[in-house]
Amino acid sequence: MVRLARIEYLGQTLLTAQLENGQYCDLSSVAPDVPAFFQLSEATRSNVVDVILRDPNARLISPQSCKLLAPLDGNKHVNKFLGIGMNYVDHCKEQNVPIPKEPMVFSKFGKDCIIGPGDPICKDDHVKKLDYEVELGVIIGKTVPRFSSAEVAADCIGGFTVVHDVSARDWQLEKNGGQWLLGKAGDGYAPIGPVIVTTDEFSLEHHAHSSGIRCRVNGELLQDSNTSNLVHKVDAIISFLSKFMTLHPGDIIATGTPPGVGCFRKPPRWLVPGDVVECEIDGIGCIANPVVAGGPTTTAGSASSQPRVQSRL
């Protein structure tokens, strides 16, 4: 039962387990990163924290003394970052559109889309309709072969996280010839975290399809649903994707967003600099990210020059 967190501490990036008291237990002696952790045997993974804590020299780190990072390093760990559109029954009803018979798949990029809890989301001048989307993120734990059944796919899940699928609706829906890419894959358009919860704590059977999911902007609840409303379930999505591609440890699938997004509100509710967006899933946690004005000299997720906000674990 592990809640994997990546932190920056004393100039080092460490893989840790977040404990019930909020402290972080250093796991770097057994795995340097999340994909390596998933390669450990099931017995080792399930007992690793207890074993480490028996050591009187185990390193425990307070949240006040470190910086919480995205649990996966997009530069090193993420080969594919896929998203599923129109995948909540209540989101389809909100738009009065048919429920998709097959998953609608789009892509983000791991390297520059991913930012961590508290990092800023940049709203560039050429983006007029910036929107929020809270989503359940699936982290692949072991290679998913081509043409895998749903049963095989389920066994390849490493854990779950919260994904904020930031979306520039004007570039997604009104420009670029109808292609979604530019509206979905901007730098900093994928805050993830605060942790990856492994499947022995957040299971496919008991949690992934029955957990509360919500989004708040400046404290106002704008999305509030349950993953029971997923059209295509997690294992079915992975199986479907395996018809076209091999999935690898560290790959991310954002499984869709519930109703309440800004573009379908009347009037629309677009994100503007100064907003703070909180995305939360019961059993995983909450990530909070401020929206800031972007431009040629601003880099999404740069905490050195932009404000960070605290995310709740």
Side-chain angles (χ1 to χ4, degrees), residues 14-17 24-31 52 58-61:
L14 303 175
L15 179 68
T16 70
Y24 299 106
C25 174
D26 184 5
L27 301 181
S28 58
S29 61
V30 295
I52 290 176
R59 181 156 62 167
L60 301 180
I61 301 162

Side-chain angles (χ1 to χ4, degrees), residues 119-295:
D119 288 335
I121 300 164
C122 292
K123 182 196 172 298
D124 296 318
D125 287 342
H126 61 271
V127 174
K128 307 302 181 185
K129 298 180 179 181
L130 193 65
D131 207 349
Y132 51 86
E133 292 190 11
V134 60
E135 308 202 8
L136 174 67
V138 184
I139 312 300
I140 300 300
K142 58 185 179 182
T143 300
V144 182
R146 293 287 306 280
F147 306 104
S148 291
S149 66
E151 182 179 6
V152 170
D155 188 54
C156 295
I157 298 170
F160 296 88
T161 194
V162 179
V163 173
H164 180 186
D165 177 16
V166 182
S167 303
R169 300 298 188 195
D170 40 354
W171 289 93
Q172 176 193 356
L173 303 175
E174 301 170 8
K175 302 183 179 185
N176 197 37
Q179 297 288 327
W180 283 20
L181 183 68
L182 293 182
K184 290 287 191 177
D187 285 6
Y189 276 22
I192 66 171
V195 296
I196 295 170
V197 185
T198 55
T199 55
D200 50 356
E201 178 175 344
F202 194 94
S203 70
L204 187 67
E205 296 80 7
H206 302 295
H207 302 91
H209 301 144
S210 60
S211 293
I213 180 170
R214 61 196 64 86
C215 177
R216 293 177 292 269
V217 178
N218 302 332
E220 181 184 1
L221 185 63
L222 297 180
Q223 290 184 278
D224 187 15
S225 187
N226 193 286
T227 56
S228 61
N229 287 307
L230 283 168
V231 175
H232 304 287
K233 305 305 183 185
V234 170
D235 48 346
I237 291 170
I238 299 172
S239 176
F240 175 81
L241 292 170
S242 76
K243 293 180 180 180
F244 305 92
M245 63 193 76
T246 303
L247 298 173
H248 299 279
D251 287 351
I252 303 172
I253 304 167
T255 58
T257 199
V261 294
C263 65
F264 296 118
R265 290 184 167 271
K266 297 181 180 179
R269 198 321 183 176
W270 306 122
L271 296 175
V272 297
D275 286 341
V276 175
V277 185
E278 296 176 277
C279 294
E280 181 176 33
I281 298 176
D282 294 341
I284 300 177
C286 178
I287 54 173
N289 296 85
V291 180
V292 302

